[in-house]
Amino acid sequence: MRVTVFGATGVVGQALLPLLAEKHEVVAVSRGARDPDVGIRWVEADVASGEGVGDALEGAAVAYYLVHSLGARDFERRDREAAGNVAREAARAGIEQIVYLGGLGGDDRDASPHLRSRRETGAHLASHGVPVTTLRAAMVVGKGSAAFETILGLVRRLPVMITPNWVSTPTQPIALTDVVRYLAGVAGNDAAIGQPFDVGGPEVMTYRQMIERIAALLGKRPRIIEVPVLTPALSALWLELVTPVNALVARPLVEGLRNPTVAREERLRKLLPFELTSFDEAARHAFDA
Amino acid sequence: MSGLPGWEATERVLESGGFESRQRVLLPEPAVEPSESGARWLGVTYWQAVDGFTRSSVRATWREEGGRLRLLGGATLLKFGPPGLQYGDEAVSCRYAIEGGLLALRAGGSVTLAQRAEGEQHEISVTVEEYLPRLAARAGAPWWAGTVYAKGQSPFHAAVSRRYFQLLVQGRGA
């Protein structure tokens, strides 16, 4: 089966490609020219403009959509348009399934723009009739994951942290290796076509607990002071100052901290059973990668 | 209760002196699945309801050993143990033991968020059991304590429960 991967150069895409290449003919999409990899054909396309998207989908049965525009000021509009372009071309190309990695926690009326945008992207992908399999995940724990690198940057640099009280919001981070295993497992899987699934790691924790766990793994003991008033804009600027993450990426992530990102169901865990990676193991793997 | 079918709210003082309050609705479909995640979701959504109803002035913060319901990030109104999750085909629940705080006279009692089959329907409930509120009419309490509980804390429980049921119903369709 031929599968096309949009967002193939991202953290999740890079980890997913070799897994897909074990079973499928893989077409990986990037905006610039790339050297060929074993079992992977790279093609150029731009989901934002729609240029080359139709060609990239030709002959494929499944399309992966791992694209996001975090870091752009108008990421909501960009994500909407890009998803619309892919949905339209996927319908024209006769794609049987779109697999989308969305976010947990965008259901509330007061959801952050980032989480709301992840949810709307899924709706736009489904807008031209191709069945969408949505995997909704919280933070992906892996090298290069923006959210994980933000926390890691804080722990590595700050002995004392002044944080918004949103750090007490529960979340269910998932290891990069586990999320790509789920993503690969749903391709062409009849029970998964057109279905939304929550995916989470084996542990639920608050961001504060996550900071403390990472600190313990790094042999540090930061002091965390929660304050009730710290705006997302201030937090984002502060994060840009002390972590490698750009404020335009950090702000939507910080805003998202106020929404719980916890799986509410386990259907995919039952459909694709395997032992999930513990948070500590996933974090250690990310440090070493 | 508009939009919340089968709404019922009861409150009584138990022989032990503790309070019991219960709110429930009946839904045609389950709000959560019978699993650990489903049980946990009952709890997560409840604290979201508290946060939303109070416009984030009262929020739950969590550690390994349990949670604290804090006013403006400071005073601990109530302390809870870690969630006790139970799930099966007939019932799903998330229970928090009350371990103290400014609004509790002493540790004791619990808050249970539950879903259970009720004939063809599914009952979703919030039950506070054996809770000893500091603000309640009792021997030795200030004269105004009972009024503050009856006019403030008790309606607050019911209003948060309404918000909670609404969130669960919204989330079911998500």
Side-chain angles (χ1 to χ4, degrees):
Chain A
M1 178 170 74
R2 182 181 292 179
V3 300
T4 297
V5 182
F6 294 97
T9 56
V11 172
V12 175
Q14 287 286 329
L16 176 64
L17 292 179
L19 217 55
L20 290 176
E22 287 174 10
K23 288 187 177 175
H24 308 293
E25 183 188 341
V26 180
V27 176
V29 181
S30 77
R31 275 180 293 183
R34 306 270 300 200
D35 292 332
D37 286 330
V38 178
I40 297 161
R41 182 162 66 88
W42 285 92
V43 300
E44 283 181 63
D46 184 356
V47 293
S49 65
E51 195 181 335
V53 170
D55 293 340
L57 289 166
E58 198 178 311
V62 176
Y64 280 86
Y65 191 82
L66 308 172
V67 178
H68 67 74
S69 306
L70 267 186
R73 285 188 193 282
D74 55 347
F75 67 90
E76 291 175 88
R77 180 186 62 79
R78 284 172 184 246
D79 278 339
R80 266 197 311 272
E81 290 177 4
N85 289 335
V86 170
R88 187 179 59 250
E89 294 301 329
R92 275 191 196 144
I95 297 291
E96 294 161 22
Q97 179 190 24
I98 295 174
V99 179
Y100 168 57
L101 181 60
L104 278 171
D107 308 327
D108 322 328
R109 265 179 254 155
D110 61 347
S112 75
H114 168 52
L115 296 178
R116 202 171 53 224
S117 174
R118 303 308 294 150
R119 183 150 186 239
E120 285 172 3
T121 298
H124 282 282
L125 286 171
S127 63
H128 285 73
V130 178
V132 177
T133 300
T134 301
L135 271 57
R136 298 160 21 116
M139 177 193 288
V140 174
V141 182
K143 177 85 178 165
S145 156
F148 181 71
E149 294 289 346
T150 302
I151 303 266
L152 191 57
L154 286 172
V155 174
R156 281 196 163 132
R157 287 167 170 84
L158 299 179
V160 178
M161 295 181 207
I162 297 172
T163 65
N165 58 14
W166 299 338
V167 292
S168 291
T169 305
T171 185
Q172 196 170 357
I174 184 167
L176 178 60
T177 48
D178 292 347
V179 84
V180 295
R181 207 163 157 186
Y182 278 135
L183 283 165
V186 297
N189 187 325
D190 287 342
I193 290 175
Q195 293 292 313
F197 297 102
D198 289 359
V199 293
E203 298 155 272
V204 173
M205 60 185 75
T206 63
Y207 290 97
R208 182 188 177 117
Q209 288 171 321
M210 192 187 295
I211 289 169
E212 289 166 345
R213 294 274 289 271
I214 291 172
L217 291 171
L218 294 172
K220 292 174 180 278
R221 291 189 65 183
R223 185 165 160 69
I224 301 170
I225 302 164
E226 287 182 39
V227 294
V229 280
L230 193 57
T231 67
L234 268 179
S235 300
L237 285 173
W238 174 238
L239 286 174
E240 182 171 33
L241 201 65
V242 297
T243 74
V245 178
N246 181 290
L248 284 173
V249 174
R251 180 166 179 165
L253 293 175
V254 171
E255 286 172 335
L257 295 183
R258 72 169 186 254
N259 302 106
T261 45
V262 175
R264 88 176 71 162
E265 50 88 6
E266 303 170 3
R267 289 175 304 128
L268 194 58
R269 208 166 160 182
K270 285 164 189 153
L271 188 65
L272 301 171
F274 61 87
E275 194 176 339
L276 292 166
T277 310
S278 72
F279 177 80
D280 287 3
E281 194 184 334
R284 269 196 220 100
H285 193 258
F287 301 158
D288 298 339
Chain B
M1 211 22 254
S2 62
L4 290 174
W7 164 267
E8 276 182 19
T10 57
E11 189 171 274
R12 65 191 179 114
V13 180
L14 304 173
E15 280 182 20
S16 62
F19 275 66
E20 180 184 284
S21 80
R22 190 168 189 276
Q23 297 84 38
R24 72 109 197 235
V25 290
L26 292 170
L27 302 178
E29 301 290 335
V32 296
E33 66 171 26
S35 68
E36 185 181 335
S37 293
R40 186 181 295 111
W41 189 253
L42 289 173
V44 167
T45 308
Y46 186 74
W47 302 118
Q48 258 188 293
V50 173
D51 180 84
F53 183 74
T54 62
R55 296 182 181 270
S56 298
S57 57
V58 178
R59 281 181 66 96
T61 61
W62 296 95
R63 299 285 191 91
E64 304 280 348
E65 65 274 15
R68 287 168 186 264
L69 198 59
R70 297 167 83 186
L71 177 65
L72 299 173
T76 298
L77 300 178
L78 287 170
K79 268 176 71 181
F80 297 96
L85 308 177
Q86 294 198 318
Y87 46 95
D89 289 339
E90 289 298 308
V92 186
S93 68
C94 178
R95 179 182 179 277
Y96 298 92
I98 297 170
E99 295 184 342
L102 286 173
L103 295 179
L105 193 60
R106 60 173 177 268
S110 62
V111 180
T112 304
L113 303 318
Q115 170 183 280
R116 68 182 180 89
E118 171 98 1
E120 297 284 292
Q121 304 189 83
H122 300 269
E123 183 194 69
I124 313 291
S125 61
V126 177
T127 307
V128 178
E129 284 174 300
E130 293 285 0
Y131 165 51
L132 290 160
R134 192 178 298 276
L135 297 173
R138 60 185 157 76
W143 63 269
W144 45 264
T147 308
V148 172
Y149 182 83
K151 301 284 185 192
Q153 196 176 344
S154 174
F156 177 84
H157 284 165
V160 166
S161 294
R162 279 196 291 272
R163 171 96 181 196
Y164 170 61
F165 297 141
Q166 285 161 352
L167 284 178
L168 280 176
V169 170
Q170 281 169 24
R172 201 178 38 149

